[in-house]
Amino acid sequence: MAQPDLFAPPSPARDILSPGALLLRGFALDAAPDLLAGIAAIEAQAPFRHMVTPGGFTMSVAMTSCGALGWVTDRRGYRYAPHDPDTGAPWPAMPEAFRALAERAAAEAGFPGFAPDTCLINRYIPGAKLALHQDKDERDTGAPIVSVSLGLPATFQWGGLQRGDTVRRLALEHGDVLAWGGPSRLFHHGILALKPGHHPATGATRLNLTFRRAG
Ligand code: MD3
Ligand code: FE
């Protein structure tokens, strides 16, 4: 557009949340149909499942993965595995559209050459949530994490390195992308219980893609 849009929404298109953490509003909107088609193909091979934490709780978020590795949890602990424990098969390959989007988003955040070897796909229905946690099962925490939100909006919580650090809240919407690297890579974060609703792209669910270099 030739003129600045005076009626644009107030939320900025890009926002530095903390050093190394970048929010890119709507960055995945163009890719969303390809991403959703990719998820449909992946879940046909590696269905969403509710895994059990080491403490014995069944997660409210349903998960699957693609790429060389997939994130799994059971009574033995959290880890990355090259095979889907439910089928014994390798995880589905990471679609090129997934990889390319993650690489572009990481580059925008100052992390060129991001080469994720896993994409965790989280599916939320109303009431599903992810308690405040750190992502620290990856071998090299020097690589960033890129996350893509699709479908119903959610309230994202993020704090700092310490569990007791002040927690901030942020609404994440369809097409929003976050990149976390550098000093923010090990920040605590979570998702509050999803509110009921309907989204034209995903129906009554929220989907989140999380790209990581795990191996
Ligand atoms: C901040 N997923 O799968 S993505 C997860 O929306 C996870 O499903 C959430 O946290 C979701 O582990 C949040 C945003 C995110 C991802 C990784 C981070 C934020 C992060 C790593 C460090 C700091
Ligand atoms: Fe996480």
Side-chain angles (χ1 to χ4, degrees), residues 29-46:
L29 277 178
D30 290 349
D34 285 347
L35 299 178
L36 291 167
I39 293 168
I42 290 160
E43 72 168 303
Q45 287 176 252

PDB file of all heavy atoms in Angstrom, residues 29-46:
ATOM      1  N   LEU A  29       0.689 -15.667   8.117  1.00  0.00           N
ATOM      2  CA  LEU A  29      -0.657 -15.659   7.525  1.00  0.00           C
ATOM      3  C   LEU A  29      -0.658 -16.210   6.103  1.00  0.00           C
ATOM      4  O   LEU A  29      -1.516 -17.013   5.747  1.00  0.00           O
ATOM      5  CB  LEU A  29      -1.225 -14.233   7.533  1.00  0.00           C
ATOM      6  CG  LEU A  29      -1.884 -13.785   8.833  1.00  0.00           C
ATOM      7  CD1 LEU A  29      -2.355 -12.337   8.706  1.00  0.00           C
ATOM      8  CD2 LEU A  29      -3.048 -14.708   9.195  1.00  0.00           C
ATOM      9  N   ASP A  30       0.305 -15.802   5.291  1.00  0.00           N
ATOM     10  CA  ASP A  30       0.348 -16.282   3.907  1.00  0.00           C
ATOM     11  C   ASP A  30       0.602 -17.782   3.836  1.00  0.00           C
ATOM     12  O   ASP A  30       0.080 -18.480   2.962  1.00  0.00           O
ATOM     13  CB  ASP A  30       1.439 -15.548   3.112  1.00  0.00           C
ATOM     14  CG  ASP A  30       1.087 -14.083   2.852  1.00  0.00           C
ATOM     15  OD1 ASP A  30      -0.083 -13.706   3.098  1.00  0.00           O
ATOM     16  OD2 ASP A  30       1.977 -13.328   2.418  1.00  0.00           O
ATOM     17  N   ALA A  31       1.445 -18.267   4.749  1.00  0.00           N
ATOM     18  CA  ALA A  31       1.824 -19.686   4.735  1.00  0.00           C
ATOM     19  C   ALA A  31       0.786 -20.577   5.415  1.00  0.00           C
ATOM     20  O   ALA A  31       0.850 -21.810   5.289  1.00  0.00           O
ATOM     21  CB  ALA A  31       3.175 -19.874   5.425  1.00  0.00           C
ATOM     22  N   ALA A  32      -0.180 -19.962   6.140  1.00  0.00           N
ATOM     23  CA  ALA A  32      -1.085 -20.755   6.989  1.00  0.00           C
ATOM     24  C   ALA A  32      -1.786 -21.901   6.249  1.00  0.00           C
ATOM     25  O   ALA A  32      -1.828 -23.023   6.770  1.00  0.00           O
ATOM     26  CB  ALA A  32      -2.088 -19.846   7.687  1.00  0.00           C
ATOM     27  N   PRO A  33      -2.331 -21.669   5.036  1.00  0.00           N
ATOM     28  CA  PRO A  33      -3.000 -22.809   4.368  1.00  0.00           C
ATOM     29  C   PRO A  33      -2.043 -23.974   4.103  1.00  0.00           C
ATOM     30  O   PRO A  33      -2.414 -25.141   4.302  1.00  0.00           O
ATOM     31  CB  PRO A  33      -3.517 -22.192   3.054  1.00  0.00           C
ATOM     32  CG  PRO A  33      -3.660 -20.722   3.363  1.00  0.00           C
ATOM     33  CD  PRO A  33      -2.518 -20.398   4.289  1.00  0.00           C
ATOM     34  N   ASP A  34      -0.802 -23.671   3.703  1.00  0.00           N
ATOM     35  CA  ASP A  34       0.187 -24.734   3.481  1.00  0.00           C
ATOM     36  C   ASP A  34       0.547 -25.427   4.793  1.00  0.00           C
ATOM     37  O   ASP A  34       0.746 -26.648   4.831  1.00  0.00           O
ATOM     38  CB  ASP A  34       1.470 -24.164   2.868  1.00  0.00           C
ATOM     39  CG  ASP A  34       1.317 -23.829   1.391  1.00  0.00           C
ATOM     40  OD1 ASP A  34       0.314 -24.268   0.783  1.00  0.00           O
ATOM     41  OD2 ASP A  34       2.191 -23.122   0.857  1.00  0.00           O
ATOM     42  N   LEU A  35       0.658 -24.635   5.858  1.00  0.00           N
ATOM     43  CA  LEU A  35       0.993 -25.223   7.162  1.00  0.00           C
ATOM     44  C   LEU A  35      -0.123 -26.167   7.616  1.00  0.00           C
ATOM     45  O   LEU A  35       0.143 -27.271   8.104  1.00  0.00           O
ATOM     46  CB  LEU A  35       1.222 -24.129   8.208  1.00  0.00           C
ATOM     47  CG  LEU A  35       2.365 -23.142   7.927  1.00  0.00           C
ATOM     48  CD1 LEU A  35       2.440 -22.078   9.030  1.00  0.00           C
ATOM     49  CD2 LEU A  35       3.709 -23.876   7.799  1.00  0.00           C
ATOM     50  N   LEU A  36      -1.375 -25.743   7.443  1.00  0.00           N
ATOM     51  CA  LEU A  36      -2.504 -26.577   7.877  1.00  0.00           C
ATOM     52  C   LEU A  36      -2.600 -27.847   7.037  1.00  0.00           C
ATOM     53  O   LEU A  36      -2.882 -28.932   7.573  1.00  0.00           O
ATOM     54  CB  LEU A  36      -3.808 -25.773   7.823  1.00  0.00           C
ATOM     55  CG  LEU A  36      -3.870 -24.655   8.875  1.00  0.00           C
ATOM     56  CD1 LEU A  36      -5.009 -23.692   8.588  1.00  0.00           C
ATOM     57  CD2 LEU A  36      -4.011 -25.246  10.283  1.00  0.00           C
ATOM     58  N   ALA A  37      -2.317 -27.736   5.733  1.00  0.00           N
ATOM     59  CA  ALA A  37      -2.309 -28.941   4.885  1.00  0.00           C
ATOM     60  C   ALA A  37      -1.184 -29.878   5.331  1.00  0.00           C
ATOM     61  O   ALA A  37      -1.343 -31.104   5.351  1.00  0.00           O
ATOM     62  CB  ALA A  37      -2.143 -28.545   3.418  1.00  0.00           C
ATOM     63  N   GLY A  38      -0.044 -29.301   5.687  1.00  0.00           N
ATOM     64  CA  GLY A  38       1.080 -30.109   6.177  1.00  0.00           C
ATOM     65  C   GLY A  38       0.729 -30.826   7.469  1.00  0.00           C
ATOM     66  O   GLY A  38       1.056 -32.005   7.646  1.00  0.00           O
ATOM     67  N   ILE A  39       0.051 -30.136   8.378  1.00  0.00           N
ATOM     68  CA  ILE A  39      -0.343 -30.761   9.651  1.00  0.00           C
ATOM     69  C   ILE A  39      -1.296 -31.932   9.381  1.00  0.00           C
ATOM     70  O   ILE A  39      -1.172 -32.999   9.992  1.00  0.00           O
ATOM     71  CB  ILE A  39      -0.991 -29.725  10.589  1.00  0.00           C
ATOM     72  CG1 ILE A  39       0.046 -28.677  11.026  1.00  0.00           C
ATOM     73  CG2 ILE A  39      -1.605 -30.410  11.810  1.00  0.00           C
ATOM     74  CD1 ILE A  39      -0.545 -27.447  11.721  1.00  0.00           C
ATOM     75  N   ALA A  40      -2.228 -31.742   8.446  1.00  0.00           N
ATOM     76  CA  ALA A  40      -3.179 -32.822   8.128  1.00  0.00           C
ATOM     77  C   ALA A  40      -2.441 -34.061   7.614  1.00  0.00           C
ATOM     78  O   ALA A  40      -2.764 -35.198   7.994  1.00  0.00           O
ATOM     79  CB  ALA A  40      -4.198 -32.334   7.100  1.00  0.00           C
ATOM     80  N   ALA A  41      -1.426 -33.845   6.775  1.00  0.00           N
ATOM     81  CA  ALA A  41      -0.653 -34.984   6.243  1.00  0.00           C
ATOM     82  C   ALA A  41       0.162 -35.645   7.355  1.00  0.00           C
ATOM     83  O   ALA A  41       0.272 -36.878   7.414  1.00  0.00           O
ATOM     84  CB  ALA A  41       0.258 -34.510   5.110  1.00  0.00           C
ATOM     85  N   ILE A  42       0.729 -34.840   8.239  1.00  0.00           N
ATOM     86  CA  ILE A  42       1.546 -35.388   9.337  1.00  0.00           C
ATOM     87  C   ILE A  42       0.680 -36.196  10.294  1.00  0.00           C
ATOM     88  O   ILE A  42       1.029 -37.318  10.683  1.00  0.00           O
ATOM     89  CB  ILE A  42       2.278 -34.242  10.073  1.00  0.00           C
ATOM     90  CG1 ILE A  42       3.365 -33.653   9.166  1.00  0.00           C
ATOM     91  CG2 ILE A  42       2.863 -34.724  11.406  1.00  0.00           C
ATOM     92  CD1 ILE A  42       3.825 -32.256   9.562  1.00  0.00           C
ATOM     93  N   GLU A  43      -0.486 -35.664  10.647  1.00  0.00           N
ATOM     94  CA  GLU A  43      -1.304 -36.375  11.646  1.00  0.00           C
ATOM     95  C   GLU A  43      -1.912 -37.662  11.090  1.00  0.00           C
ATOM     96  O   GLU A  43      -2.289 -38.546  11.854  1.00  0.00           O
ATOM     97  CB  GLU A  43      -2.351 -35.466  12.282  1.00  0.00           C
ATOM     98  CG  GLU A  43      -3.496 -35.087  11.406  1.00  0.00           C
ATOM     99  CD  GLU A  43      -4.630 -34.435  12.215  1.00  0.00           C
ATOM    100  OE1 GLU A  43      -5.140 -35.051  13.172  1.00  0.00           O
ATOM    101  OE2 GLU A  43      -4.993 -33.306  11.877  1.00  0.00           O
ATOM    102  N   ALA A  44      -1.975 -37.758   9.737  1.00  0.00           N
ATOM    103  CA  ALA A  44      -2.435 -39.020   9.140  1.00  0.00           C
ATOM    104  C   ALA A  44      -1.413 -40.136   9.389  1.00  0.00           C
ATOM    105  O   ALA A  44      -1.770 -41.308   9.471  1.00  0.00           O
ATOM    106  CB  ALA A  44      -2.676 -38.828   7.640  1.00  0.00           C
ATOM    107  N   GLN A  45      -0.131 -39.774   9.503  1.00  0.00           N
ATOM    108  CA  GLN A  45       0.934 -40.765   9.760  1.00  0.00           C
ATOM    109  C   GLN A  45       1.258 -40.885  11.232  1.00  0.00           C
ATOM    110  O   GLN A  45       1.630 -41.956  11.710  1.00  0.00           O
ATOM    111  CB  GLN A  45       2.222 -40.340   9.041  1.00  0.00           C
ATOM    112  CG  GLN A  45       2.224 -40.499   7.540  1.00  0.00           C
ATOM    113  CD  GLN A  45       3.542 -39.943   6.979  1.00  0.00           C
ATOM    114  OE1 GLN A  45       3.551 -38.891   6.360  1.00  0.00           O
ATOM    115  NE2 GLN A  45       4.640 -40.652   7.223  1.00  0.00           N
ATOM    116  N   ALA A  46       1.232 -39.758  11.935  1.00  0.00           N
ATOM    117  CA  ALA A  46       1.625 -39.701  13.348  1.00  0.00           C
ATOM    118  C   ALA A  46       0.523 -38.961  14.097  1.00  0.00           C
ATOM    119  O   ALA A  46       0.594 -37.742  14.273  1.00  0.00           O
ATOM    120  CB  ALA A  46       2.972 -38.985  13.494  1.00  0.00           C
TER     121      ALA A  46
END
